[in-house]
Amino acid sequence: MKLPVLSPRYDIALRAAMDYIFSNFEPFAVIVSGSIVRGNPDASSDFDILVLHEHAWRRRVQKWFEGVPAEIFINSTAWVEGYLTQEAAEGRPIFAHMLATGVVVFSSSPKTEQIIGMARATLETGASFSEAALEQQRYAVACLFEDAVDVAGRDDVTAALILGRAVDATVKYWFATRQRFSVRSKEQLLAICAEDPEAGRLIEQTLLAPSMELRVSAAQELAQSVLGHTGFFEWDSGPSDADAR
């Protein structure tokens, strides 16, 4: 094993995690990722540990090690390849980022570099959303804003819940329209504010304005600014393959 250089607290925790992994699984590779390894952890940051093995099954374990949380993902290469494909299509390459930015703690197979190479290629290629996919996404987000406006005033709690979903969907759409993968949740608003300050301001007001009336007003401005619509609009998906399932 080749462990990254960490502060004593995290070093002890990672060593305990490695003891657990090698006592319970049969990895040909262990890759550690996350803000702890990158050197910028928050108070509640955890280790993201990807364990690759030859078995067909997958498993996820969330466990404390010396007071530090860890998320352990045990997968075959086939599972990881599936994740890379699916996440690229969805615009949120979580596993690709883990593989490309993580530290290889242990490897006994050339498959490790092969799967890391696939992850890097995914990130380098970037997102590729079709116009039809973007239009469908835009319609779904616009309808969320419309639903929130409909119930605001008579059920502000429900309106707030829907507005939260609408803002989250708007953030995803913002990245998708730029043919970019979304960054991790903690950095999304910073990325938007740096490039599109007006959208960032309206997101903040939609979530934090002191009254529902002001939040709804900001939400309508946000929808118009990012989506070009504040609710239902005419849209036709076109015909689909009759044999598609």
Side-chain angles (χ1 to χ4, degrees):
M1 289 193 298
K2 186 177 180 180
L3 297 176
V5 177
L6 301 171
S7 67
R9 176 197 176 201
Y10 292 127
D11 181 73
I12 293 171
L14 183 57
R15 290 178 185 276
M18 292 303 105
D19 287 343
Y20 169 80
I21 288 169
F22 282 92
S23 296
N24 290 275
F25 308 106
E26 300 174 325
F28 67 78
V30 179
I31 300 164
V32 183
S33 183
S35 57
I36 295 175
V37 175
R38 292 194 297 270
N40 60 340
D42 294 316
S44 60
S45 290
D46 58 12
F47 284 114
D48 296 317
I49 305 176
L50 178 58
V51 177
L52 297 176
H53 64 180
E54 299 289 359
H55 302 287
W57 51 266
R58 63 176 175 173
R59 180 175 171 184
R60 176 172 175 168
V61 176
Q62 297 189 185
K63 189 173 176 63
W64 294 91
F65 296 99
E66 303 296 330
V68 178
E71 293 183 312
I72 305 172
F73 306 90
I74 305 100
N75 291 273
S76 66
T77 54
W79 275 113
V80 175
E81 289 171 4
Y83 296 149
L84 295 178
T85 300
Q86 179 183 351
E87 292 177 350
E90 295 173 351
R92 189 85 193 279
I94 298 172
F95 265 80
H97 192 264
M98 285 174 57
L99 284 161
T101 64
V103 175
V104 179
V105 171
F106 170 79
S107 176
S108 62
S109 169
K111 292 181 181 179
T112 308
E113 284 305 315
Q114 292 172 5
I115 203 72
I116 290 174
M118 289 181 61
R120 289 173 176 161
T122 296
L123 295 176
E124 290 171 2
T125 301
S128 180
F129 296 96
S130 68
E131 287 300 319
L134 288 173
E135 191 70 353
Q136 183 175 7
Q137 190 175 349
R138 181 167 70 135
Y139 179 73
V141 182
C143 287
L144 282 173
F145 280 109
E146 185 176 65
D147 289 346
V149 172
D150 281 346
V151 300
R154 73 170 186 268
D155 187 349
D156 285 351
V157 174
T158 297
L161 285 171
I162 299 173
L163 280 178
R165 297 182 191 126
V167 169
D168 182 58
T170 299
V171 168
K172 293 175 182 175
Y173 179 77
W174 187 93
F175 283 99
T177 56
R178 287 157 177 77
Q179 298 295 348
R180 286 161 51 185
F181 289 135
S182 177
V183 298
R184 66 185 189 131
S185 298
K186 293 180 181 179
E187 299 170 352
Q188 287 174 341
L189 186 58
L190 289 175
I192 292 174
C193 287
E195 189 172 326
D196 190 348
E198 179 64 8
R201 180 186 69 82
L202 292 171
I203 288 172
E204 181 177 351
Q205 289 187 350
T206 300
L207 295 174
L208 300 179
S211 71
M212 181 54 66
E213 182 180 1
L214 291 174
R215 293 176 67 180
V216 166
S217 177
Q220 290 178 312
E221 288 186 60
L222 175 64
Q224 190 63 50
S225 174
V226 177
L227 308 173
H229 294 277
T230 58
F232 179 92
F233 60 87
E234 291 188 345
W235 170 66
D236 183 345
S237 72
S240 302
D241 184 347
D243 293 328
R245 296 289 187 269

